[in-house]
Amino acid sequence: MSDPMERFKQVFFDESAEALTAIEQHLLKLDLSDVTPDVIDDIFRSAHSLKGGSATFGMSRLAEFTHFMETLLDMIRAGQRSFSQQVVDCLFECLDCLRNLVNHYQFEEEVNTGLIEAVEAKLQALIDDKEPGTTTDTTESSQTGIAMGKEWKIGFAPEPELLLSGNEPLRYIEELAEMGKISVQCDTHSVPSLAELNPIHLKLSWTITLSSAQIISVEELKDVFLWVEDEAELSYTCLDQEALSIPDKTDIPATASEPQNTEQTQAKSAAKPSVKKAAEAKKSNQSIRVEMSKIDSLINLLGELVITQSMLSTFNNVEQFPGLARLQEGLGQLERHTRDLQDGVMQIRMLPIDFCFSRFPRMVRDLCLQLGKEIDVVIEGENTEVDKTVIEELTDPLVHLVRNSIDHGIEMPDEREAKGKPRKGVLKLVAYHRVGNIVIEISDDGKGLAVEKIKNKAIERGLIDEQAKLPDQTIKELIFSAGFSTAESVTDLSGRGVGMDVVKRNIQSLGGQIELRSEENVGTTFSIKLPLTLSILDGQLVKVMGETYVIPMLAIIESIKVSRDDINKIGQHDISFKWRSQFIPLLNVAETFALPSNGESIDDSMLVVVVEHDSHQFGLIVDELANHQQVVVKSLEANYIKIDELSGATILGDGSVALILDVGALVNRLKVH
Amino acid sequence: MSESEELDELKEEEATSEWLSFALGESSYAVDILRVKEIRTWEKMARIPNSQPFILGLINLRGAIVPIIDLRLRFGLEQRERDRETVVLVMTVMTEDGEKTMGIMVDNICDAVKLTEDDIKSAEKFDLAIAERFVHGITDIRGAMAVLLNIDSVLDTIDF
Amino acid sequence: MAKILTVDDSGSMRAMVSHTLSEMGHDVEEAENGQLGLEAALSTQFDLIISDVNMPVMDGITFVTNIRKEANYRFTPILMLTTESGQDKKGAGKQAGATGWIVKPFNPQKLVSLVNKVLK
């Protein structure tokens, strides 16, 4: 994007997204009985900016549409129209149109002409509904007559205060000079004596005779003085009128000698504006826009710095380097600063989860209208911060879960009443931090999961055996299985072919976990645990046959020494061991990765890292536990290919590369074998 | 000015390309010098589980994770103990998903030569023991045949 | 070369104005609202100020009114960015002390010619 205009457009698109969110937020929070001017101003301003930008960047359809919106909002602002429910509903629809139009210009999405025309008609109807006589028609009173000629005499008598608006009369005269030859007469008769002279009061006036090679219209001349037409007495007299074939108009005098008859623009007193102080000096959250790639390269650099720093810290032989003690002090400081810097840079990418949550009130409102349900949305912890990339990946699964709760969870108002519940259901979205992770809970007070129903369906689908004795929780979790859906009728809300299995997979691919709690007729809660960022991972370094691997801490339950005798083998393979009174499968990393063995270990115990995936535990056999540290995740695909069992690689303190294990993929490997 | 230098200068007038030649055993190969990012000595690599045998592992190239390919194994030659002359050429490779950086390990590097289009001959008639798509052509370097490699094919990730 | 301050809550507008004027060889500073514009204007002497009307925190009219009170800015040209529908704002802008206005939408060429009009 080297074309600056293209770059500005990009900024405009970002702004548009913000403006749309701002409007939506206001509309959702709006209390019609108490609409403050601030809110209307804010909504107006957002629409206004959209209009200004879109017109500037040649997005005519968007400019046209926002013009309608702006007109209506301006009338509301002026008190000519009230902020009615009808207006609110219409503005919500406007948002859909705006999104469509912005997407049209940004991503070439097709314009939904039908919708836009319909909404424009609604806006027009609301605009037309105004009290008669309050027309805001702003077209200037039409010019009387067309005056044209090559010779003009212009009278220019500015008000004494002209200089105080930063205007310089000579500029205008110079501009006339660009149109042709001029001769200027300066009238100094009102200039007072030197003693009384106030240098900032302009007491001069001019008469300029302009003769041009081209025909000049009075509009062109008025254009020159446009900015000062209210602050000066101006007269334009055409001296060669007869040279023109344009019919004579009464306001153009036949002779130049009678300036009294010339068209005059009297200084009018400008309408007194109510200069409003910003109601309250709202402390706006100041921010700047930065390209993601710039932050990413900063993070990469920082990764390098962390590595260099840890490399330096390995020089710790005091005998060899006598000055080391002092150096170490400095190194300690460097380490702390590096860590702070790293935290700081990571913070840049963090956004409040509100970026994701904020869409839900509107979505729920729309779905409720569609389904005839009544639901309150409660949001808590919307300021909890999480990495931008996580938010992006998280949005789809959350949308699905929320739709699911509304569609299958919360009952119809009558049904709720019959159950002795309030008619209005509650959908709760909660976010909070817990030890390096973000937890997001979506809960409803709906009908909960019906164990029997799920069980029957699962048997029907062949997911479980009819005879199987399964705990209730296990049965409930069957909704996460591929090809499972409890929807009795396929509405357009759910049943889009996206099942809970996809939601779960998405969450897992982000390195997260999803849990489910549900009680019949009380409600359902989905709890999602995710790392705060995808680019840094809290990892346990392990060594296997001299190679270093990273296991995500999120997956680790514990690391234990297991006596060889306690490991069940089939042939040469380690198969399982008893952990917390259950047999769990074992995976020998060296074997799985076909690492060249460096001779049979003589230890009589083995080190097992118990990890969990999908609520299933299994043990990874490793040689040695090394550091527990934060690692910067680097993709393997950047220069190589995706490897199933790995979620990426990282660079360690000594500059060497360590691979990050994908615990989920390793489990799948176990199942295959 | 020696005769060969004079010749070199003459050649510059025409469309020339520059190639970096190296050896694998008895054979000479060359790669387009513009694709060579840097030349490194051997360093410790992280082994990639279950990868093709010719993938030696991953190195850290100023923060980027870069795979290293043993060109001998890639060409079906036998593995050789690395020595002081063993080098890794870090190459720019054009792939379907864009530009990637990969390294190739070779026995040693010889020299850089300027070639005109006329210097590059078709390899069609020869059985070079490597896939045809790897070969750009052959040329004469100091009286011996050198195989000019098409590095994008040699390092095509489809084969990885 | 002149020192110019552009005050607009829309980053794309600011960027456009700033880029166009920088191309002309001017030294352009940006501010996001009237309050910040005021702060910028008080720490640097500008030769020209271009300000939007509708802005959060401090709108353009208030900004111009305030800046005109400063002795250093009594005669400095100030142009306001208005829309064709905001005719009343022109009056308010003039009342506050604006030198002139630029009607949105405008293209870079228009901006250049209007800026040249006030900067000799």
Side-chain angles (χ1 to χ4, degrees):
Chain A
M1 266 196 284
S2 50
D3 177 11
M5 269 321 242
E6 281 305 313
R7 241 175 24 234
F8 305 152
K9 269 191 197 173
Q10 199 49 52
V11 178
F12 169 72
F13 288 135
D14 291 348
E15 280 165 11
S16 309
E18 278 169 23
L20 290 177
T21 312
I23 298 176
E24 180 157 75
Q25 290 296 327
H26 278 305
L27 290 179
L28 285 167
K29 280 193 217 126
L30 207 62
D31 175 3
L32 282 176
S33 59
D34 180 28
V35 183
T36 61
D38 280 10
V39 170
I40 305 171
D41 275 355
D42 255 17
I43 299 176
F44 173 81
R45 200 169 45 241
S46 298
H48 182 79
S49 311
L50 276 174
K51 179 179 145 183
S54 54
T56 302
F57 298 116
M59 305 168 190
S60 52
R61 201 67 189 84
L62 183 56
E64 211 177 295
F65 185 83
T66 41
H67 179 71
F68 276 101
M69 267 182 88
E70 194 198 45
T71 309
L72 175 63
L73 287 163
D74 206 24
M75 292 169 78
I76 294 169
R77 229 159 53 128
Q80 293 160 350
R81 293 284 289 115
S82 62
F83 219 137
S84 63
Q85 186 58 47
Q86 222 181 341
V87 170
V88 175
D89 290 345
C90 182
L91 288 174
F92 268 120
E93 287 178 296
C94 285
L95 282 175
D96 297 333
C97 297
L98 291 176
R99 290 213 168 89
N100 170 239
L101 287 167
V102 169
N103 285 345
H104 168 67
Y105 288 108
Q106 191 172 10
F107 305 116
E108 292 173 14
E109 186 180 296
E110 208 176 310
V111 176
N112 187 343
T113 314
L115 173 71
I116 287 163
E117 280 172 3
V119 177
E120 275 176 352
K122 273 187 203 176
L123 283 167
Q124 191 60 56
L126 287 166
I127 291 166
D128 291 342
D129 196 18
K130 64 184 180 241
E131 281 88 43
T134 55
T135 168
T136 53
D137 188 9
T138 53
T139 49
E140 304 236 317
S141 56
S142 59
Q143 292 293 336
T144 46
I146 309 148
M148 288 188 165
K150 295 182 178 179
E151 308 274 323
W152 285 88
K153 186 155 128 184
I154 298 128
F156 176 33
E159 286 184 357
E161 289 79 24
L162 184 79
L163 297 174
L164 293 174
S165 63
N167 276 296
E168 160 61 76
L170 293 180
R171 264 184 228 137
Y172 298 99
I173 297 170
E174 275 169 16
E175 210 174 326
L176 285 178
E178 284 168 21
M179 302 169 90
K181 260 192 239 156
I182 58 166
S183 70
V184 184
Q185 252 188 320
C186 182
D187 183 355
T188 56
H189 79 266
S190 16
V191 178
S193 67
L194 203 57
E196 295 163 46
L197 186 82
N198 183 345
I200 65 167
H201 279 164
L202 188 64
K203 294 288 189 185
L204 299 171
S205 62
W206 291 266
T207 308
I208 305 118
T209 319
L210 167 67
S211 84
S212 161
Q214 271 107 43
I215 292 172
I216 295 169
S217 70
V218 71
E219 277 74 27
E220 285 175 75
L221 295 174
K222 281 185 174 174
D223 237 23
V224 172
F225 292 98
L226 184 67
W227 290 345
V228 290
E229 61 183 17
D230 293 348
E231 290 158 279
E233 235 172 277
L234 290 158
S235 65
Y236 310 95
T237 315
C238 185
L239 302 177
D240 60 344
Q241 185 69 19
E242 42 293 324
L244 284 160
S245 56
I246 309 269
D248 188 30
K249 290 281 174 181
T250 50
D251 53 353
I252 297 164
T255 61
S257 55
E258 286 172 9
Q260 297 95 317
N261 294 342
T262 56
E263 185 188 342
Q264 293 211 344
T265 313
Q266 290 293 331
K268 303 163 240 164
S269 69
K272 197 112 195 141
S274 57
V275 180
K276 257 184 298 165
K277 289 267 174 209
E280 45 184 312
K282 254 185 283 172
K283 204 173 164 284
S284 66
N285 263 327
Q286 301 220 349
S287 64
I288 55 160
R289 226 174 279 284
V290 184
E291 270 170 48
M292 252 334 238
S293 61
K294 285 188 191 165
I295 297 176
D296 286 345
S297 75
L298 201 57
I299 288 173
N300 270 336
L301 265 174
L302 208 56
E304 292 295 289
L305 183 63
V306 171
I307 291 159
T308 312
Q309 179 269 316
S310 47
M311 251 163 66
L312 287 174
S313 65
T314 55
F315 289 101
N316 54 6
N317 189 334
V318 184
E319 278 92 60
Q320 208 177 338
F321 310 105
L324 195 70
R326 278 187 55 198
L327 182 62
Q328 265 174 337
E329 232 171 81
L331 284 174
Q333 217 158 29
L334 177 66
E335 185 185 343
R336 281 193 301 282
H337 290 159
T338 312
R339 188 144 304 154
D340 289 351
L341 191 59
Q342 188 168 21
D343 284 349
V345 172
M346 291 316 293
Q347 280 297 323
I348 300 178
R349 284 166 50 121
M350 301 290 246
L351 292 176
I353 190 80
D354 195 37
F355 273 76
C356 179
F357 278 5
S358 59
R359 73 180 57 225
F360 292 117
R362 168 75 194 279
M363 195 181 112
V364 174
R365 179 188 187 273
D366 287 355
L367 290 181
C368 282
L369 281 176
Q370 214 174 319
L371 296 170
K373 292 188 178 179
E374 291 172 29
I375 301 172
D376 268 336
V377 180
V378 177
I379 291 179
E380 282 172 20
E382 66 270 31
N383 292 325
T384 311
E385 291 195 327
V386 64
D387 194 284
K388 183 178 189 302
T389 46
V390 176
I391 288 190
E392 280 162 4
E393 301 291 325
L394 190 61
T395 304
D396 278 351
L398 284 189
V399 166
H400 190 84
L401 289 174
V402 168
R403 277 172 174 270
N404 209 68
S405 280
I406 298 169
D407 207 23
H408 308 311
I410 298 176
E411 313 90 332
M412 296 296 286
D414 291 348
E415 194 184 335
R416 289 180 64 89
E417 220 163 26
K419 284 183 186 172
K421 290 181 176 183
R423 285 180 70 83
K424 249 188 175 179
V426 176
L427 179 84
K428 211 165 155 188
L429 292 158
V430 182
Y432 54 91
H433 282 160
R434 199 166 60 192
V435 281
N437 296 305
I438 183 168
V439 180
I440 297 158
E441 290 182 349
I442 299 110
S443 50
D444 65 60
D445 63 348
K447 55 183 164 229
L449 293 173
V451 175
E452 274 311 303
K453 221 158 132 189
I454 294 172
K455 192 175 176 182
N456 292 336
K457 185 134 279 176
I459 293 168
E460 196 182 295
R461 298 273 155 105
L463 295 170
I464 53 167
D465 193 76
E466 209 165 334
Q467 310 303 322
K469 284 252 182 290
L470 294 169
D472 282 0
Q473 183 63 21
T474 310
I475 293 173
K476 287 173 189 164
E477 281 171 8
L478 285 171
I479 63 164
F480 289 122
S481 317
F484 190 92
S485 164
T486 49
E488 276 156 4
S489 68
V490 174
T491 70
D492 75 331
L493 303 184
S494 306
R496 289 171 168 234
V498 183
M500 294 295 281
D501 56 321
V502 176
V503 171
K504 182 166 191 174
R505 242 189 353 257
N506 286 348
I507 301 288
Q508 285 175 343
S509 72
L510 290 171
Q513 291 165 8
I514 182 164
E515 277 167 23
L516 156 77
R517 294 189 299 276
S518 181
E519 203 176 318
E520 222 168 329
N521 285 324
V522 176
T524 305
T525 299
F526 291 99
S527 173
I528 297 169
K529 191 159 88 169
L530 283 170
L532 286 180
T533 163
L534 299 180
S535 54
I536 287 192
L537 179 135
D538 201 12
Q540 171 67 56
L541 272 49
V542 298
K543 294 210 164 181
V544 185
M545 300 294 173
E547 297 280 329
T548 307
Y549 297 99
V550 181
I551 304 175
M553 282 304 281
L554 197 60
I556 299 179
I557 302 178
E558 65 172 342
S559 307
I560 42 172
K561 285 242 178 231
V562 179
S563 160
R564 274 181 189 280
D565 301 338
D566 292 340
I567 287 177
N568 307 295
K569 282 173 160 281
I570 291 183
Q572 285 296 95
H573 298 293
D574 306 312
I575 297 299
S576 71
F577 82 109
K578 204 166 197 170
W579 179 77
R580 298 187 187 169
S581 75
Q582 270 191 59
F583 285 113
I584 65 168
L586 273 174
L587 200 100
N588 189 322
V589 177
E591 214 176 279
T592 312
F593 288 171
L595 297 177
S597 152
N598 46 7
E600 189 68 19
S601 162
I602 40 150
D603 274 358
D604 54 5
S605 66
M606 291 176 113
L607 190 57
V608 175
V609 181
V610 179
V611 292
E612 185 177 51
H613 176 80
D614 242 3
S615 342
H616 295 295
Q617 296 79 31
F618 66 105
L620 293 174
I621 301 175
V622 301
D623 293 347
E624 199 183 313
L625 286 182
N627 290 345
H628 159 206
Q629 69 179 66
Q630 302 242 309
V631 299
V632 178
V633 181
K634 307 221 171 211
S635 120
L636 290 177
E637 287 105 303
N639 290 311
Y640 186 55
I641 50 172
K642 166 100 188 99
I643 308 284
D644 272 349
E645 292 84 3
L646 305 175
S647 56
T650 192
I651 294 165
L652 299 178
D654 61 1
S656 68
V657 175
L659 302 174
I660 304 167
L661 303 186
D662 181 341
V663 171
L666 283 170
V667 182
N668 291 337
R669 205 185 159 78
L670 258 181
K671 286 182 190 155
V672 172
H673 286 271
Chain B
M1 187 181 280
S2 78
E3 202 176 86
S4 72
E5 270 172 315
E6 227 168 81
L7 241 145
D8 274 354
E9 219 159 78
L10 270 175
K11 281 176 182 169
E12 246 168 69
E13 310 275 313
E14 305 164 51
T16 58
S17 51
E18 210 171 340
W19 295 76
L20 182 69
S21 73
F22 57 84
L24 295 178
E26 300 294 303
S27 320
S28 263
Y29 299 86
V31 285
D32 183 349
I33 211 157
L34 294 177
R35 294 297 196 86
V36 182
K37 273 191 168 172
E38 62 180 275
I39 300 166
R40 295 172 77 89
T41 53
W42 189 89
E43 63 204 280
K44 194 182 175 312
M45 300 169 197
R47 288 174 42 100
I48 309 172
N50 309 314
S51 60
Q52 295 281 357
F54 57 78
I55 308 281
L56 286 169
L58 298 166
I59 63 159
N60 159 25
L61 186 74
R62 288 180 300 279
I65 307 281
V66 170
I68 306 298
I69 284 88
D70 185 333
L71 208 58
R72 281 180 154 268
L73 294 180
R74 176 75 174 123
F75 288 168
L77 306 170
E78 66 188 35
Q79 203 161 11
R80 170 175 168 277
E81 277 287 299
R82 60 170 200 277
D83 57 26
R84 285 169 55 196
E85 293 208 325
T86 306
V87 290
V88 169
L89 307 181
V90 179
M91 308 290 300
T92 302
V93 184
M94 305 298 176
T95 73
E96 273 182 12
D97 338 315
E99 200 177 295
K100 295 194 176 192
T101 301
M102 300 182 200
I104 49 175
M105 190 173 90
V106 302
D107 292 359
N108 60 58
I109 42 169
C110 304
D111 45 8
V113 288
K114 273 208 179 77
L115 300 175
T116 66
E117 277 177 30
D118 290 346
D119 295 334
I120 302 173
K121 306 278 189 267
S122 161
E124 261 174 32
K125 294 173 279 186
F126 308 97
D127 176 11
L128 300 172
I130 58 175
E132 231 171 81
R133 64 193 165 97
F134 295 171
V135 181
H136 176 73
I138 55 166
T139 197
D140 178 339
I141 298 179
R142 295 177 203 283
M145 183 181 84
V147 178
L148 305 177
L149 294 174
N150 179 354
I151 201 69
D152 295 342
S153 292
V154 174
L155 299 179
D156 191 339
T157 50
I158 279 182
D159 299 340
F160 286 7
Chain C
M1 188 187 91
K3 284 192 80 69
I4 303 177
L5 174 66
T6 164
V7 189
D8 201 317
D9 56 329
S10 151
S12 54
M13 272 294 173
R14 277 203 314 274
M16 213 267 265
V17 171
S18 162
H19 176 79
T20 309
L21 299 180
S22 303
E23 292 273 284
M24 290 170 71
H26 296 305
D27 187 2
V28 188
E29 215 171 286
E30 300 179 18
E32 209 171 285
N33 59 50
Q35 183 64 47
L36 297 170
L38 207 54
E39 282 164 23
L42 295 182
S43 59
T44 311
Q45 177 68 38
F46 291 97
D47 305 313
L48 166 65
I49 295 172
I50 300 177
S51 171
D52 189 22
V53 175
N54 281 297
M55 289 181 289
V57 188
M58 184 193 285
D59 63 66
I61 306 290
T62 314
F63 166 59
V64 174
T65 309
N66 285 333
I67 200 85
R68 272 288 178 238
K69 287 182 195 149
E70 297 296 323
N72 288 347
Y73 284 98
R74 273 162 92 179
F75 308 111
T76 306
I78 302 176
L79 299 181
M80 304 216 71
L81 300 177
T82 59
T83 48
E84 77 284 0
S85 57
Q87 292 293 326
D88 54 325
K89 288 292 177 194
K90 287 180 192 166
K94 291 298 290 187
Q95 187 79 5
T99 308
W101 56 86
I102 303 176
V103 178
K104 285 194 272 192
F106 56 88
N107 57 23
Q109 290 74 28
K110 177 83 180 162
L111 177 66
V112 168
S113 84
L114 289 175
V115 164
N116 279 334
K117 187 168 170 157
V118 291
L119 292 175
K120 273 160 299 184

